[in-house]
Every structure is written in structure tokens, then in C-alpha cells.
Amino acid sequence: MQKKMLFAGAAVLVALAVIFTAGCVGGDTNSGKPTVELVEIAAGQQINSLALGQIDGMINWQPNVAAATVSDIGKVVSYSQDLPRADGKTWKDHTCCVFGANKAGLENADLATALTGLMLLGNKYINDYPEKSAELAADWLYGSSKPTFGDKTVDGVDILKASLPTIRFSTEITPEWLASNTEFLQIQRNLGTIVSNLRSTNDEDTKALIYDFAPYDAAKKIIDSKDKFPVPTAQEISIGYLQSDHDAPLFIIIKDWKYFKDNYGVYLKPVSEKVGPVEEAELYVNDKKVCSVKLIAGSGGPNLMSLLQTNGIQYAVAGTPPFLNSIDTQPGLKIVSPIMTEGSALLVSANAPANNWNEFVTWAKQRNAEGKDLLIAVPQVNSIQDVQIKAALDSAGLAYKIKSA
């Protein structure tokens, strides 16, 4: 079934070729069309830049989107899944963060199954208990402090309550999710960032290089049958993650470990229960301690990939594009399961004369005619968000140019 699903993206790729060829998502476009300027600013810094009036808008992931809206610094023009593309489609259910592992992590099949199972159960928890999930994720991300953006101080729980409902927490391996991964691989090929092992692979070879769904299939079978997870043998492992609520399933299974102990017998118990992020935990399966677990906060997806490749960590929650780029240069890492899709948005300042995409386009054209282009921040060149805003601008007949930060 999964093999057939992978092929489902082929037809979409033909349409996407219209968008992502001729350098359309690479450097500046200069066709004489009205222009929008794009500038690379780190995701966590964009809100302050917007508050200070240094940029007109930003495309960012959660919970930065919610932080900007809850603080009344910005407003959403369009969520990422609704941004237009030149082929007439949108980005509904687009790929984002996944759970993956390196060779050492996958060699211990029972351990990989237990951890994948926990990620599946963490997603279920978020969907079953959204209010509690917001509190637990806010605890991990903000601790007891209230985050400040510009001159606005807001409550972390309020941010997460606004953020989590806009993210589709799903571990289901759907044709749409597989097709979305294939789309972004082709985009990266056209951008010239995929140049080695994945540069010209066919669908079958691509699937073999990118995925290992064995832990997912085993974990799902155990959960569906309400069976017990086999007890692995291990000493110490490390799991990498990013400080974003895209990784909320990982935070929740640790923060509410007693729930998973009582209901499933598999859990990650903090060595020391405290407010804020947890650095050390212990994995239990069927109430038997398996191993010590270090939780490593990465500075970004590429950083986590480096740690996986050097076995500094064995498992990670990270974006699809970093996994693809890393697998391209050094095979061995595998995507094991989706974690979530969507979860990003294009925002403008709260007082901007644009409340939706069409009004944004009108505003961009007006500003261009006045001789001062809109300046929109992207978190990272060639990221999912960067690709999406460039495709949306292209679909609206707008060009873009890259501005140095």
C-alpha cells in the first residue's frame, strides 16, 4: 500500500514543474512585474522585527504565528495550507515535521518501535486533550515566564491555545503526505540543493533511501490491538528536537508521563520533574526501565541532521527538507513517521491594509507603484515556508528579490 502511495505524487509533480523551474524559487526574479522583497531573518527574531516596523510581514511557523497574533503585533493573511500555487492548487496537508532515526537507532527494532509508538500516542493525546496539551507544551517552551515581544508581554498558555488548533497533528501515512514529501524533494532538486544520492533516483529507490516504516507499522499494530510493546535492551539514547510546538507530542509524553504509564505501560519519565524543558528522562516499557534518555534541543534542522549523522543523537523530530538534504549527501538516516502537517502562516503588521491574500497582493502592487516594495521575512532560504511564499507570489503575478539582512 505504501509503495502505491509514493507513486501518487507523480501527477502532482508534473503540475509543480510549472512553478519550480527556470529558477522561480531560487534567486531574484526580475521580469518587470511588481516586486516584493524577501529577507532571511531567524524565526524567533521575526516578531520583534515586525513590532519595530523593520519588516512589513513574515512567513513563519508556530508558535511564532500565534505569538504575533496574541500580542496584537501581527495578523494572519493566509495559513500555509491555503497559500496559492500557479497550478491552481493549495498546500493542504503539506509535509512539515517528522520522526526519524539513524542507523544505530533503527538497528534496535524494539526500541525504535517503542519510541515511534510513543510519538503516535503523543499525537493522539493532543487531539483528545487540546486544552491540557496547550498547558503542557507552554510549560516546556516558556516555563513559568511570560514571553515578551516588542513591548507586549503575553501568556504562554494563551499562545499555545491559539497555536495548536492550526497544526494538523497526524501520524497517518497518507497518499497526500507522501506526495507532499515527493514534491519538496523535486523542488530541492530544481533548486540545486539535492545533488548526490537523491538527485535522479526513481520512485522505488527514493522510497528505499528516505523511509523505514517498519517501526511505525509495528507500533501501530500494537496500539490498535491493545497489545504490549516488547521490552527492548538498551543503555542510553539521545533524542533531538526543536523548541517549537510542532514537536509538542514529544513534550507531552514527557510532561504527562503518568498518563502514558497508566494507560499504555510505555513512557518517558523525567529524571527530575521541573518547569520548562527536560534534559534527561528514563524510558520504561511494560513498567520496566529500559534506558536513560537525553533530550537534546537543536539550533535548527541541519544541526539535528549533523548530530544524527555523527551518532550524537539516534532519533529526532525535525522537518522533512533537512532529512532529505542529509540523506542526499550521506544515506543512512530514515524518516519513520509523520508528526504533523501544515502549521505555518503569512502574517503582516496588525495595522496593515491587508486581511487576506487578495488584499495582500493589492497592497504589494500599491507599495511597488509608490516605489517602496513590501519587505517580508522568511525563516530560512529553501525552507518550506520560503518555497511557499515564492510560489504564492509567482501565482499572483508578483516578482521577488532577495534583500540582505
Side-chain angles (χ1 to χ4, degrees):
M1 174 62 75
Q2 289 161 354
K3 178 178 177 181
K4 292 180 180 178
M5 287 179 179
L6 185 66
F7 298 149
V12 180
L13 288 176
V14 175
L16 280 175
V18 176
I19 308 174
F20 301 111
T21 54
C24 175
V25 295
D28 298 359
T29 55
N30 41 39
S31 58
K33 300 176 183 178
T35 302
V36 171
E37 288 190 87
L38 302 178
V39 59
E40 184 176 356
I41 298 176
Q45 299 174 12
Q46 289 185 12
I47 303 174
N48 285 330
S49 295
L50 192 64
L52 293 170
Q54 297 171 340
I55 55 176
D56 298 298
M58 65 188 208
I59 186 164
N60 208 321
W61 50 72
Q62 295 286 22
N64 298 311
V65 172
T69 58
V70 169
S71 61
D72 294 323
I73 290 172
K75 57 185 175 181
V76 172
V77 165
S78 175
Y79 284 98
S80 55
Q81 63 268 24
D82 298 320
L83 283 171
R85 307 190 320 200
D87 59 3
K89 299 180 180 180
T90 62
W91 298 93
K92 180 175 172 57
D93 202 23
H94 67 80
T95 189
C96 195
C97 286
V98 298
F99 183 58
N102 64 12
K103 184 177 179 181
L106 292 168
E107 284 177 343
N108 191 329
D110 289 342
L111 181 59
T113 297
L115 292 172
T116 304
L118 272 171
M119 298 306 296
L120 270 62
L121 293 170
N123 262 24
K124 184 178 186 302
Y125 185 107
I126 293 174
N127 289 298
D128 289 347
Y129 308 105
E131 294 286 319
K132 182 65 173 177
S133 296
E135 295 172 6
L136 295 172
D139 178 323
W140 188 291
L141 292 172
Y142 302 116
S144 57
S145 64
K146 290 188 175 182
T148 298
F149 306 97
D151 60 353
K152 305 288 183 69
T153 298
V154 293
D155 190 283
V157 176
D158 290 340
I159 293 175
L160 270 295
K161 285 182 177 179
S163 173
L164 292 185
T166 71
I167 303 170
R168 187 170 182 267
F169 287 99
S170 172
T171 54
E172 187 178 359
I173 299 174
T174 65
E176 292 78 15
W177 177 74
L178 286 163
S180 183
N181 292 337
T182 308
E183 290 170 16
F184 274 96
L185 173 60
Q186 188 59 48
I187 291 166
Q188 289 174 287
R189 285 170 173 162
N190 292 337
L191 287 169
T193 58
I194 295 293
V195 297
S196 186
N197 298 291
L198 291 170
R199 181 178 59 182
S200 57
T201 48
N202 60 32
D203 288 340
E204 186 68 19
D205 291 341
T206 298
K207 175 178 178 291
L209 282 168
I210 295 175
Y211 303 117
D212 186 342
F213 292 136
Y216 172 91
D217 291 336
K220 193 171 187 306
K221 183 177 180 181
I222 291 168
I223 293 169
D224 290 346
S225 64
K226 298 182 179 179
D227 203 351
K228 290 185 177 181
F229 283 85
V231 180
T233 300
Q235 291 184 334
E236 181 179 283
I237 59 169
S238 297
I239 303 173
Y241 69 93
L242 300 175
Q243 281 283 89
S244 164
D245 59 358
H246 287 192
D247 295 21
L250 177 64
F251 309 155
I252 284 162
I253 59 179
I254 296 171
K255 285 293 181 180
D256 199 3
W257 64 271
K258 292 179 182 178
Y259 173 87
F260 297 91
K261 176 183 187 297
D262 294 342
N263 289 276
Y264 305 106
V266 55
Y267 51 98
L268 278 169
K269 180 182 178 181
V271 171
S272 176
E273 295 194 59
K274 61 174 186 173
V275 173
V278 173
E279 291 82 26
E280 295 182 344
E282 297 170 337
L283 175 65
Y284 287 79
V285 178
N286 298 331
D287 294 314
K288 296 179 181 179
K289 181 182 174 181
V290 174
C291 62
S292 299
V293 180
K294 291 185 178 180
L295 289 309
I296 309 295
S299 60
N303 170 234
L304 292 179
M305 297 305 105
S306 295
L307 289 172
L308 281 171
Q309 294 287 16
T310 58
N311 205 35
I313 59 177
Q314 293 74 50
Y315 306 91
V317 182
T320 298
F323 267 99
L324 296 177
N325 276 308
S326 187
I327 292 167
D328 179 56
T329 57
Q330 188 176 341
L333 305 189
K334 301 289 184 181
I335 292 173
V336 174
S337 169
I339 294 299
M340 45 70 65
T341 63
E342 303 179 353
S344 299
L346 172 65
L347 301 93
V348 294
S349 59
N351 60 357
N355 298 289
N356 55 53
W357 174 251
N358 289 334
E359 291 178 358
F360 175 85
V361 172
T362 299
W363 184 35
K365 291 178 178 178
Q366 289 174 344
R367 284 284 296 270
N368 181 258
E370 295 166 0
K372 187 178 180 181
D373 297 332
L374 291 182
L375 182 60
I376 306 298
V378 299
Q380 189 175 36
V381 173
N382 298 338
S383 64
I384 291 172
Q385 294 75 21
D386 179 57
V387 168
Q388 288 175 325
I389 185 60
K390 290 173 179 175
L393 294 173
D394 181 67
S395 75
L398 297 170
Y400 65 85
K401 59 184 177 182
I402 310 301
K403 179 181 175 65
S404 298

